[in-house]
Amino acid sequence: MRNPVLEVIHAPRQADRTEVCDIHGEYTSRHIMARIWTRCPECAKAAAAKAETDRQEAEKAARDARWSRQLGESGIPLRFQDRTLPRFVAENDGQRYALQFAVDYAAEFEHGHSGRCAVFVGEPGTGKTHLACGIALRAMGKFGASALFTTVSKLSRRVREAKSFDADETESAAIRIFVYPDLLIVDEVGVQSGTDAEARALFDVINDRYEQRKPTIFLSNLDLGGVQAALGARVFDRMREDGGEVVSFTWGSHRGRIAA
Ligand SMILES: Nc1ncnc2c1ncn2[C@@H]1O[C@H](COP(=O)(O)OP(=O)(O)OP(=O)(O)O)[C@@H](O)[C@H]1O
Ligand SMILES: [Mg+2]
Ligand SMILES: [Zn+2]
């Protein structure tokens, strides 16, 4: 019985012929089957290149979207989202030490962080938030770690609010928010109200992180004694364990220089 489809498939191939592309001029077209002939090879190449560029652009857009979501969720203030480690200018030994500390601290996220904590203390404008955010940006961007930037008052407010009977969130869920990230940065230590509830919220978070060996960086305008008083002895002791380090930002403010 005649099968027209098979007849077409098995029909003898025709000889090559010369065709003309509007863009690329003459090319050799090969017969594939029936009325199907190869098209201009240059056009085919251009189409493949465009498909590859489109694919790369889509991939980059997805990567950018992922990164901006990650940045958004990190709590890093907008102003500090471009405060990378290389943008920290080190002009004296203290700044060089602080920058090297930050670089080493961030590098630990490549193979599981030791969990050692850090305290950055110093006068306003000396770059504590810049360096801490620089660590977070590198840990996230280069090593795929998760990071969260918060303040003592934000942290304790969230945990305390979860305690109230009509809260949307349970207390343990609120604590988990701050325990989950690979890196937690707690800014404005010593600006808090200093209530027992605040100290308890901080302790609950830091104790869980300590047990899971997750690092926390504290930032403060107070001196070390002030930080100890603000955090409470129990939090402070946990922080000092495992080689937790205090970095003193002893130089002048950078803020005036930016305006200048
Ligand atoms: N060494 C530096 N190189 C480049 N920029 C710096 C440096 N130090 C500080 N800055 C910039 O100066 C501004 C103030 O720094 P930052 O906010 O980090 O100070 P801070 O120590 O956190 O101050 P505060 O205690 O008031 O919070 C920021 O814009 C920061 O990027
Ligand atoms: Mg700051
Ligand atoms: Zn062509």
Side-chain angles (χ1 to χ4, degrees):
M1 203 172 79
R2 265 191 83 215
N3 182 331
V5 173
L6 285 181
E7 267 174 34
V8 165
I9 290 173
H10 295 301
R13 276 188 44 205
Q14 299 178 39
D16 293 352
R17 66 188 190 198
T18 299
E19 292 283 354
V20 179
C21 164
D22 289 344
I23 302 166
H24 302 103
E26 284 191 357
Y27 66 93
T28 305
S29 179
R30 283 181 298 106
H31 184 221
I32 295 175
M33 67 164 80
R35 273 184 285 173
I36 306 173
W37 292 76
T38 60
R39 308 288 205 108
C40 166
E42 292 305 319
C43 282
K45 245 188 256 169
K50 177 159 185 333
E52 174 59 15
T53 319
D54 288 353
R55 194 190 60 76
Q56 283 176 7
E57 273 169 13
E59 215 169 65
K60 181 171 183 312
R63 222 171 27 239
D64 288 353
R66 208 159 46 233
W67 175 240
S68 67
R69 181 158 27 84
Q70 209 182 350
L71 255 187
E73 288 171 359
S74 72
I76 294 178
L78 195 60
R79 168 187 286 278
F80 287 94
Q81 289 184 0
D82 64 353
R83 298 307 200 266
T84 58
L85 296 179
R87 293 188 65 182
F88 185 84
V89 180
E91 293 174 328
N92 58 54
D93 286 347
Q95 287 174 328
R96 275 187 285 275
Y97 179 84
L99 177 59
Q100 189 58 50
F101 177 87
V103 167
D104 294 343
Y105 199 87
E108 274 195 41
F109 286 96
E110 185 169 9
H111 310 287
H113 201 278
S114 65
R116 68 186 169 122
C117 291
V119 196
F120 293 174
V121 292
E123 297 288 313
T126 48
K128 301 180 295 297
T129 302
H130 182 139
L131 271 190
C133 290
I135 292 170
L137 291 170
R138 183 167 293 182
M140 291 192 294
K142 201 166 173 189
F143 303 125
S146 53
L148 181 64
F149 182 97
T150 190
T151 64
V152 173
S153 55
K154 273 192 203 152
L155 181 155
S156 66
R157 196 182 327 123
R158 180 138 189 190
V159 174
R160 269 183 295 136
E161 276 172 5
K163 276 191 172 135
S164 74
F165 70 95
D166 58 349
D168 301 331
E169 186 174 54
T170 65
E171 187 189 352
S172 61
I175 290 171
R176 256 198 318 276
I177 300 278
F178 299 101
V179 175
Y180 174 79
D182 299 316
L183 171 65
L184 179 69
I185 299 166
V186 183
D187 203 353
E188 289 172 20
V189 172
V191 179
Q192 71 261 43
S193 58
T195 59
D196 282 355
E198 202 163 73
R200 235 183 350 263
L202 198 56
F203 177 77
D204 288 343
V205 168
I206 299 307
N207 191 46
D208 279 10
R209 293 187 63 81
Y210 166 81
E211 285 175 355
Q212 296 179 33
R213 306 197 74 149
K214 287 182 172 180
T216 307
I217 302 175
F218 298 91
L219 313 180
S220 182
N221 290 137
L222 304 176
D223 62 12
L224 198 55
V227 171
Q228 183 163 15
L231 292 178
R234 292 192 304 164
V235 169
F236 193 78
D237 289 350
R238 281 162 179 73
M239 185 197 77
R240 288 307 293 270
E241 256 204 59
D242 300 329
E245 199 172 324
V246 179
V247 181
S248 296
F249 288 54
T250 53
W251 45 91
S253 171
H254 202 273
R255 288 206 176 95
R257 300 191 20 184
I258 296 169

